[in-house]
Amino acid sequence: MQFLRRIGLILLWLAAPVVAFAAANKNDPYLVPLRGAGNIVLVVASIAIVMLLLRRGRWRTMAGKLLVMLWCLPPLLMSAAHLKFELRKHDVLGASAAEARQLGPHFMVGYSAFPEVARLAEQGLIGGVYVTRHNIRGRTIEALRAEIAALQDKRRAVGLPPLVVAADQEGGIVGHLAPPLTKVPALATLSSLAPDEQQTKAEEFGRIHGRELAGLGVNLNLAPVLDLKPPQRRNRLDFHTLIGQRAIATDPVVVSTIANAYVRGLEDSGVGATLKHFPGIGRVRTDTHHFSASLNTPVRELEATDWLPFREVLSHSHSALMVGHVTLTAVDPDRAASHSKRVVQGIIRDKWNYQGMVMTDDLVMGAIYQNDVCKAVVEAINAGVDMLLVAYDSAQFYRIFACALDGSRQGRLGAAMLHASETRLVRSFPTEQARAASGRVRVVDRH
């Protein structure tokens, strides 16, 4: 029994700093599973342990006093973290109408709580929403359709433009609304077909996705993936990107052929496409969901291979372009492409003359979030990025928007860049599609 007590005491000493760290960082994206009930359990457990230690007389010794104090920390640290979050949230929600008009259109946010996202939409603090599997978990597709329509109605009621509503329906392993929407095979399954058949089937896949998404009120699909398929070797540092299973082919001509047809099917159904993840992550060995990553290939080689599908599909469609969090070392070794002016303005805008919507990959990814996220937000806007995506953890919106708000108040955001971006968003394909899609949803609901 004495041995077990000593083991228990050792475990309490080891667990105390871990629990305190989790409490202090309760709002970190990696601790999303601890939100809500998990936080309550941590606090209750800490208080119970303190009471147990006091009852056992641990307060009588110096070591015991220290252990009790350590277990008093989690509730205090969690309260401090929550207060910091609420103060930041209050500051964002208290932004002036002028600040909301200037910055809001540049943010797309995922959400779990409808009342919270509805408030952001009504105040003009966001320009788009992202819907995924947790928005349909335990619910009907009709409920999500009605929710999207309600958001668009709220925007209309306050005289704001329709929201861009995005989903992630690539086919294959990434189809976050399938089921209940149709589960479509990955576009990679078409790569072995004859070119004519590739186009026919890819366009059919695009029409299936487009028809179902448009009926739901979604007007922008975050697909297709145009990264070239990497060599067939397992990447042990790739936990979530899994680009080898998502990329269409190793041949840029095949990728272009299939992607062009797929995008055509989407657009004919009234849904915009998003080409991702420029400048290409097929050659990258590190998963940007968790780590910084570099693409060290010379630009001339990328132009002749990886970038051919991007330029080809952009020239034949109204697609948006998603820029990933990989550092293109030959162009800008100091920052990820998603917030590099040399990449966005220098290559995409100036060299390619692309004037459509450029958006970032999710800013709640380790490659950005675990570094200086505020610097990345300001640099992305100043680089000419039009839409900043906050998808995985909607609570991070307040931190990320606060970065833009502080940048604006300190005069660190370029007025010319913001104006040019606003012009692109107003005339962009997805926003026009939003008006049509919101109208279609009202007709569906009326019947």
Side-chain angles (χ1 to χ4, degrees), residues 366-378:
I368 295 295
Y369 195 84
Q370 300 303 326
N371 296 297
D372 190 342
V373 67
C374 278
K375 180 182 177 184
V377 167
V378 170

Side-chain angles (χ1 to χ4, degrees), residues 29 75 87 155 169 171 176 264 306 320 408:
L87 289 174
R155 295 283 285 193
Q169 292 290 94
H176 295 163
R264 190 161 58 246
D306 299 55
S408 175

Side-chain angles (χ1 to χ4, degrees), residues 301-446:
E301 184 177 344
L302 291 169
E303 287 177 335
T305 53
D306 299 55
W307 294 356
L308 286 178
F310 288 100
R311 299 198 70 173
E312 171 68 14
V313 181
L314 285 175
S315 67
H316 289 92
S317 69
H318 300 283
S319 300
L321 179 64
M322 177 182 285
V323 184
H325 302 315
V326 59
T327 300
L328 184 57
T329 55
V331 176
D332 190 345
D334 300 320
R335 55 188 54 78
S338 55
H339 55 104
S340 168
K341 191 167 187 175
R342 295 181 193 173
V343 174
V344 178
Q345 186 67 39
I347 295 175
I348 298 170
R349 301 294 187 202
D350 295 342
K351 192 170 184 178
W352 291 8
N353 196 31
Y354 172 70
Q355 300 304 320
M357 186 174 84
V358 171
M359 68 187 299
T360 67
D361 205 343
D362 190 358
L363 292 176
V364 191
M365 291 170 68
I368 295 295
Y369 195 84
Q370 300 303 326
N371 296 297
D372 190 342
V373 67
C374 278
K375 180 182 177 184
V377 167
V378 170
E379 288 185 345
I381 293 172
N382 286 337
V385 172
D386 303 304
M387 190 73 78
L388 282 70
L389 177 63
V390 184
Y392 170 67
D393 180 8
S394 60
Q396 305 312 318
F397 167 77
Y398 298 104
R399 178 183 178 186
I400 289 170
F401 191 91
C403 293
L405 203 56
D406 289 344
S408 175
R409 290 169 178 173
Q410 295 170 18
R412 293 187 290 116
L413 294 183
M417 278 298 187
L418 281 166
H419 179 72
S421 181
E422 180 183 358
T423 301
R424 285 191 295 268
L425 287 171
V426 167
R427 69 175 183 230
S428 69
F429 172 79
T431 302
E432 291 302 314
Q433 290 305 120
R435 296 187 176 91
S438 61
R440 280 195 296 274
V441 170
R442 291 199 305 279
V443 170
V444 170
D445 287 347
R446 197 159 45 235

